[in-house]
Amino acid sequence: MTTLLTTRDIGAIVAAKGLAACLGTLVSYLEEDFARWGEFDKSARVANHSKDGVIELMPISDASLYSFKYVNGHPKNTRAGLPTVMAFGLLADVDTGRPELLSELTLTTAMRTAATSVMVARRLARPDSRVMAVIGNGAQSEFQALAFHLLMGISEVRLFDVDPRATAKLVANLDAAAPSLKITVCASTAEAVRGADIVTTVTADKTNATIITPDMLQPGQHINGVGGDCPGKTELHADVLRAGAVFVEYEPQSRIEGDLQQMPADFAVTEFWRVLAGEAPGRVSVDQVTVFDSVGFALEDFSALRLLRDLAVELGLGRTIDLVPELADPKNLFGALRMPAVTGLPETLRVAMAL
């Protein structure tokens, strides 16, 4: 049998553990998996692009577990009352291929993205960072702001979005969730970035945008570029990448999807796992500008699914479903179609099921 976790189960986990503990534990799981980077069978995600969006599959495995995530990105969805991003994922046993966990990953993706940002910023941002700009105040902005506030001591967020309703939504949610966090609403990206130690860009439009330009940069800033995550979608001017040290998750994927897609093939970047392994430096000086060109990688979902599996067991959450048939004779798959008699069905369906 397979354990199913729904959005209600994820809400129950956060209610039981608290958001700070969930994010903090997720950072630990991410660090554990990134530290054993070489043990994973990795590939760039498989993407099907359309005019208004993208649908992707993100697979990865180690010697014991296999995971994949289904995820979309459709910026126009909000006009139809749908989230821009929707996702679910699966965790399976490598030895048998048996699916162990099927879970929602829409809420979880937002948390794992924020946790990944924190994991990286702990090595790349200045330790005394206290002010963060958040450019793009949509569905993922609360997760980013709260993760940095709860786990890195950010005490002020400076906000800007071209849609003032998105900013108002973010302000209301942050006021309720983190009353001690200072919130400054700004009139432009440049105003928000001014004085920020960390700049997080998390915009949704599928376009080659230049949200951050080199004239906005200040010595010592860390740029957490989250929104550029598919071909034809960028947030950072190419000269922003040239101005600092650039770190990525999985270089073959980032070259296709990230802000890095603007750069020549020989432009030097560092895969972040090498920093954790001590093979490459993180921040090397107080004045250095660092850039995390984050596109989201399958290993992050693997870590998140591992954590969900463990918390579901600990808290007794989820329900079992017969996603694959349970067979007395594994060679008699056809026998699974011979279902027991069911009352109350239309005569034609009842007869068909009895055949």
Side-chain angles (χ1 to χ4, degrees):
M1 301 293 278
T2 305
T3 299
L4 172 67
L5 295 179
T6 68
T7 53
R8 288 191 177 188
D9 293 312
I10 305 308
I13 287 172
V14 174
K17 292 293 186 177
L19 182 60
C22 288
L23 290 169
T25 306
L26 184 47
V27 170
S28 298
Y29 273 58
L30 287 164
E31 290 175 340
E32 289 173 7
D33 289 334
F34 269 81
R36 56 189 189 94
W37 182 265
E39 299 178 18
F40 288 91
D41 183 0
K42 300 174 288 292
S43 62
R45 56 190 163 205
V46 179
N48 285 57
H49 295 276
S50 61
K51 179 174 65 72
D52 293 326
V54 62
I55 296 175
E56 301 166 331
L57 290 177
M58 302 171 64
I60 195 167
S61 67
D62 63 8
S64 300
L65 294 171
Y66 168 93
S67 77
F68 78 81
K69 180 170 76 173
Y70 165 99
V71 63
N72 77 302
H74 288 73
K76 293 183 179 179
N77 268 6
T78 53
R79 302 177 190 176
L82 293 171
T84 297
V85 174
M86 296 175 282
F88 67 88
L90 183 137
L91 193 65
D93 176 64
V94 163
D95 287 341
T96 65
R98 183 176 64 88
E100 294 185 349
L101 178 72
L102 179 64
S103 178
E104 88 80 41
L105 284 184
T106 307
L107 288 165
T108 303
T109 291
M111 290 191 284
R112 74 83 156 130
T113 302
T116 301
S117 295
V118 166
M119 174 184 68
V120 173
R122 283 177 171 173
R123 275 79 180 180
L124 301 186
R126 298 194 325 272
D128 63 347
S129 296
R130 294 295 177 267
V131 179
M132 182 168 79
V134 181
I135 312 301
N137 300 161
Q140 294 207 35
S141 56
E142 286 88 351
F143 297 89
Q144 290 284 332
L146 289 171
F148 277 84
H149 172 59
L150 295 170
L151 303 181
M152 285 197 64
I154 289 296
S155 57
E156 178 185 356
V157 288
R158 301 174 60 80
L159 312 178
F160 176 70
D161 194 296
V162 294
D163 180 1
R165 296 170 300 176
T167 302
K169 174 269 307 179
L170 176 57
V171 170
N173 285 336
L174 293 180
D175 276 340
S180 64
L181 181 62
K182 180 181 178 182
I183 301 170
T184 302
V185 176
C186 300
S188 66
T189 297
E191 181 185 342
V193 170
R194 193 177 306 122
D197 305 307
I198 297 171
V199 178
T200 291
T201 56
V202 61
T203 60
D205 286 343
K206 188 178 179 182
T207 182
N208 285 317
T210 51
I211 306 299
I212 305 297
T213 52
D215 57 292
M216 298 180 190
L217 297 178
Q218 298 173 23
Q221 281 182 328
H222 172 60
I223 310 300
N224 179 39
V226 178
D229 57 4
C230 72
K233 184 172 185 280
T234 62
E235 296 180 312
L236 310 179
H237 190 285
D239 286 342
V240 171
L241 301 177
R242 295 187 181 98
V246 179
F247 298 80
V248 299
E249 292 136 315
Y250 182 54
E251 185 175 348
Q253 181 174 300
S254 298
R255 293 246 177 223
I256 297 169
E257 299 182 351
D259 282 279
L260 191 57
Q261 66 190 267
Q262 307 171 79
M263 310 307 288
D266 60 353
F267 182 78
V269 299
T270 301
E271 289 185 332
F272 179 73
W273 70 269
R274 297 184 64 225
V275 177
L276 286 179
E279 295 184 8
R283 171 172 291 274
V284 297
S285 71
V286 172
D287 291 337
Q288 183 186 34
V289 172
T290 54
V291 178
F292 178 38
D293 185 9
S294 172
V295 298
F297 182 53
L299 182 55
E300 295 150 21
D301 305 304
F302 180 97
S303 302
L305 286 164
R306 278 205 308 119
L307 176 58
L308 291 180
R309 177 200 61 186
D310 294 348
L311 290 176
V313 171
E314 176 187 338
L315 299 172
L317 293 171
R319 64 183 180 90
T320 56
I321 57 172
D322 52 349
L323 188 63
V324 296
E326 298 285 333
L327 302 172
D329 177 1
K331 294 186 177 181
N332 186 17
L333 179 60
F334 186 78
L337 295 177
R338 303 187 66 83
M339 303 175 68
V342 181
T343 60
L345 293 175
E347 180 66 16
T348 54
L349 181 57
R350 184 177 60 80
V351 171
M353 290 176 63
L355 293 178

